[in-house]
């Protein structure tokens, strides 16, 4: 087989056969859709997950505000830590699904293949960085608020006790350390999660570089 | 605009089938991805300004979409399992394909996503300038890449 055989083989394979996946009367119907059936179903699943996690997170947040601000509930740090962890978990789950949705819906179809890969890569990096900055802002602010509350003893923070015997400095310390490390942990998870997508993009860019 | 687009798609439908066959060979969701490409072509259509041939624009958007779908498949939640009927439809379609066509597609399937894009453009008789425009590489490099991919394909086909 030589070079010219390739083209003739390709032409033979196509000009002698024709296939139709659907009637072209359905074209208008298809054009009115946002996505193809499978992708649409997958994105809907994702949207439902985001909605569910966000809803649970806001219910949780509402309950916390109601309990600590309106009812002025005074509970031990021992009880606050698991509550805070539950909140962190819900927030991370909701935002990571939202991030996945953003990544899946970013496109750049009108550009050349090389430019498209570069633009998508840039967009994804921006999404990841924004996500990281939001986490840093939220969790570092939370940690700063806890330290401030402890130092100024707002709401008798220093009187929180474990079995009414000791000052909860180690537990608070662990909680603060966890809050400070969450953004970095998420960054690691995201890097791991989108590793294949980024390596595919980089591979495409590399292959198209002269 | 809608009617104009439908007419253009009808006259270029073969291109979409070829792209789907190259990127989603043996994929039971090939028809769905075909629909997705059509939808994204329609969404991008307002940006088509007749600066290039319609087929050049069509290839650019369709190839970008096909590659994008493949790249993001790992992030999509698992698809619902295929029903036996759907699976049989997918299988039967493949059984009906000619040997020659199958052999060529299987060989192309071994290439990377970008190599597939370059070779389909070459096989469809696009010149180096057009290939460079669609892929974003220089004309000279397009020639180099095409020769390498052709050699690779011939090697695969001769070994089968």
């Amino acid at each position: 087989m030589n070079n010219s055989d390739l083209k003739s083989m390709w032409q033979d394979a196509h000009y002698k056969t024709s296939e139709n996946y659907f009637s072209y009367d359905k074209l208008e119907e298809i054009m009115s859709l946002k996505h193809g059936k499978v992708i649409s179903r997958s994105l809907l699943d994702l949207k439902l997950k985001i909605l569910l996690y966000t809803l649970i997170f806001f219910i949780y947040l509402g309950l916390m505000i109601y309990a600590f601000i309106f009812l002025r509930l005074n509970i031990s740090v021992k009880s606050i830590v698991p509550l805070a962890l539950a909140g962190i978990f819900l927030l991370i789950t909701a935002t990571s699904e939202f991030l996945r949705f953003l990544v899946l819906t970013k496109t750049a179809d009108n550009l050349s293949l090389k430019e498209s890969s570069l633009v998508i890569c840039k967009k994804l990096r921006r999404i990841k960085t924004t996500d990281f900055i939001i986490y840093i802002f939220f969790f570092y602010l939370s940690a700063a608020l806890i330290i401030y509350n402890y130092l100024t003893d707002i709401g008798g923070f220093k009187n929180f006790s474990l079995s009414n015997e000791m000052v909860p400095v180690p537990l608070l310390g662990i909680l603060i350390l966890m809050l400070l490390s969450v953004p970095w942990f998420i960054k690691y998870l995201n890097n791991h999660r989108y590793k294949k997508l980024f390596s595919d993009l980089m591979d495409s860019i590399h292959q198209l570089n002269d | 605009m809608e009617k104009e687009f439908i007419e253009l798609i009808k006259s270029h439908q073969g291109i979409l089938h070829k792209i789907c066959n190259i990127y989603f060979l043996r994929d039971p969701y090939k028809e769905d991805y075909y629909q997705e490409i059509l939808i994204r072509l329609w969404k991008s259509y307002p940006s088509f300004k007749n600066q290039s041939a319609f087929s050049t624009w069509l290839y650019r958007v369709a190839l970008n979409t096909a590659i994008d779908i493949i790249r993001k498949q790992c992030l999509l939640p698992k698809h619902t399992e295929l029903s036996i009927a759907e699976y049989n439809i997918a299988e039967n379609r493949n059984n009906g394909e000619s040997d020659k066509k199958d052999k060529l597609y299987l060989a192309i399937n071994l290439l990377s996503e970008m190599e597939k894009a370059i070779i389909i453009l070459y096989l469809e008789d696009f010149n180096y300038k057009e290939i460079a425009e669609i892929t974003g590489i220089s004309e000279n490099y397009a020639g180099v890449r095409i020769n390498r991919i052709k050699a690779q394909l011939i090697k695969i086909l001769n070994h089968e």
Side-chain angles (χ1 to χ4, degrees):
Chain A
M1 174 174 278
N2 56 45
N3 281 353
S4 59
D5 288 343
L6 263 183
K7 266 195 185 178
S8 61
M9 197 175 174
W10 176 260
Q11 278 155 10
D12 285 351
H14 290 97
Y15 295 117
K16 289 174 186 166
T17 54
S18 65
E19 49 188 330
N20 254 334
Y21 294 151
F22 51 82
S23 152
Y24 275 80
D25 300 335
K26 282 187 179 175
L27 208 59
E28 280 184 51
E29 194 186 309
I30 293 167
M31 280 154 58
S32 65
L33 301 171
K34 276 189 174 174
H35 292 284
K37 208 167 77 183
V38 175
I39 295 180
S40 196
R41 199 165 53 198
S42 303
L43 289 178
L44 182 71
D45 283 353
L46 208 52
K47 279 184 207 166
L48 286 174
K49 263 188 192 175
I50 295 167
L51 191 74
L52 181 73
Y53 293 139
T54 312
L55 200 71
I56 296 172
F57 177 71
F58 278 110
I59 290 172
Y60 163 87
L61 208 64
L63 285 174
M64 291 301 112
I65 291 169
Y66 180 70
F68 289 104
I69 296 176
F70 292 102
L71 297 182
R72 295 180 187 280
L73 198 70
N74 211 349
I75 58 171
S76 70
V77 175
K78 203 175 167 184
S79 313
I80 288 174
V81 173
L83 276 175
L85 287 179
I88 291 169
F89 173 75
L90 286 171
L91 184 70
I92 291 170
T93 322
T95 47
S96 74
E97 291 300 322
F98 183 65
L99 183 73
R100 184 146 69 124
F101 181 78
L102 284 181
V103 169
L104 281 171
T105 48
K106 287 286 172 219
T107 56
D109 298 336
N110 268 311
L111 305 169
S112 68
L113 300 185
K114 187 181 172 181
E115 281 174 338
S116 168
S117 302
L118 282 166
V119 167
I120 291 177
C121 201
K122 209 171 156 186
K123 279 182 183 174
L124 298 190
R125 283 215 174 99
R126 200 180 301 145
I127 291 173
K128 268 172 62 181
T129 311
T130 314
D131 186 66
F132 179 65
I133 291 170
I134 291 170
Y135 276 123
I136 285 269
F137 179 77
F138 181 81
F139 287 106
Y140 278 49
L141 187 73
S142 305
L145 276 173
I146 291 173
I147 295 168
Y148 177 76
N149 281 349
Y150 182 77
L151 293 176
T152 52
D153 201 21
I154 292 172
F157 218 100
K158 282 178 180 167
N159 293 330
F160 280 143
S161 63
L162 286 174
S163 313
N164 296 322
E165 281 168 6
M166 54 189 272
V167 181
V169 174
L171 247 179
L172 272 179
I174 291 169
L175 181 64
I176 289 163
L177 270 177
M178 278 178 66
L179 287 173
L180 296 180
S181 59
V182 164
W184 302 97
F185 175 65
I186 300 297
K187 192 180 179 182
Y188 167 78
L189 280 184
N190 282 339
N191 282 343
H192 184 72
R193 186 183 232 180
Y194 301 112
K195 194 177 166 188
K196 193 184 175 304
L197 181 61
F198 271 100
S199 74
D200 282 356
L201 279 165
M202 293 316 291
D203 194 39
S204 297
I205 294 165
H206 178 71
Q207 279 191 45
L208 295 173
N209 271 336
D210 296 16
Chain B
M1 193 161 82
E2 220 173 284
K3 278 186 181 160
E4 189 187 87
F5 178 76
I6 291 172
E7 283 310 311
L8 284 167
I9 288 296
K10 275 181 188 170
S11 56
H12 291 85
Q13 54 177 299
I15 294 176
L16 299 183
H17 286 132
K18 285 169 199 164
I19 292 178
C20 281
N21 282 334
I22 280 204
Y23 284 96
F24 309 112
L25 187 76
R26 305 273 153 102
D27 193 317
Y29 296 106
K30 195 157 79 176
E31 286 179 39
D32 284 324
Y33 296 144
Y34 183 95
Q35 279 192 13
E36 179 69 16
I37 294 174
L38 261 177
I39 294 164
R40 277 163 71 167
L41 277 166
W42 170 236
K43 281 184 190 167
S44 304
Y45 188 60
S47 67
F48 172 60
K49 294 179 182 97
N50 283 316
Q51 283 168 340
S52 56
F54 180 75
S55 60
T56 308
W57 173 83
L58 183 77
Y59 265 108
R60 189 164 54 221
V61 178
L63 285 171
N64 266 323
T65 308
I67 294 170
D68 190 56
I69 292 170
I70 289 183
R71 273 186 196 138
K72 290 174 182 169
Q73 262 174 345
C74 59
L75 293 176
L76 285 168
K78 291 270 177 262
H79 299 312
T80 317
E81 285 294 314
L82 282 181
S83 69
I84 292 170
E86 279 176 310
Y87 187 78
N88 284 340
I89 291 167
E91 278 295 287
N92 290 336
R93 183 170 292 125
N94 291 328
N95 291 340
E97 281 173 358
S98 69
D99 243 17
K100 211 174 183 182
K101 193 175 174 181
D102 234 18
K103 223 172 146 185
L104 184 59
Y105 274 118
L106 285 172
I108 294 175
N109 205 36
L110 295 173
L111 303 173
S112 74
E113 311 313 334
M114 288 300 150
E115 286 171 337
K116 283 178 189 170
I118 294 170
I119 203 66
I120 190 177
L121 293 170
Y122 163 77
L123 293 170
E124 285 291 291
D125 267 341
F126 278 86
N127 59 39
Y128 287 178
K129 194 183 170 200
E130 288 166 321
I131 295 175
E133 194 189 318
I134 295 171
T135 54
I137 56 180
S138 69
E139 282 179 52
N140 285 341
Y141 191 57
V144 173
R145 285 309 301 261
I146 287 167
N147 285 331
R148 275 191 216 152
I149 301 166
K150 273 195 297 189
Q152 209 178 327
L153 265 183
I154 289 166
K155 199 175 163 188
I156 297 168
L157 287 165
N158 284 338
H159 270 84
E160 276 181 354

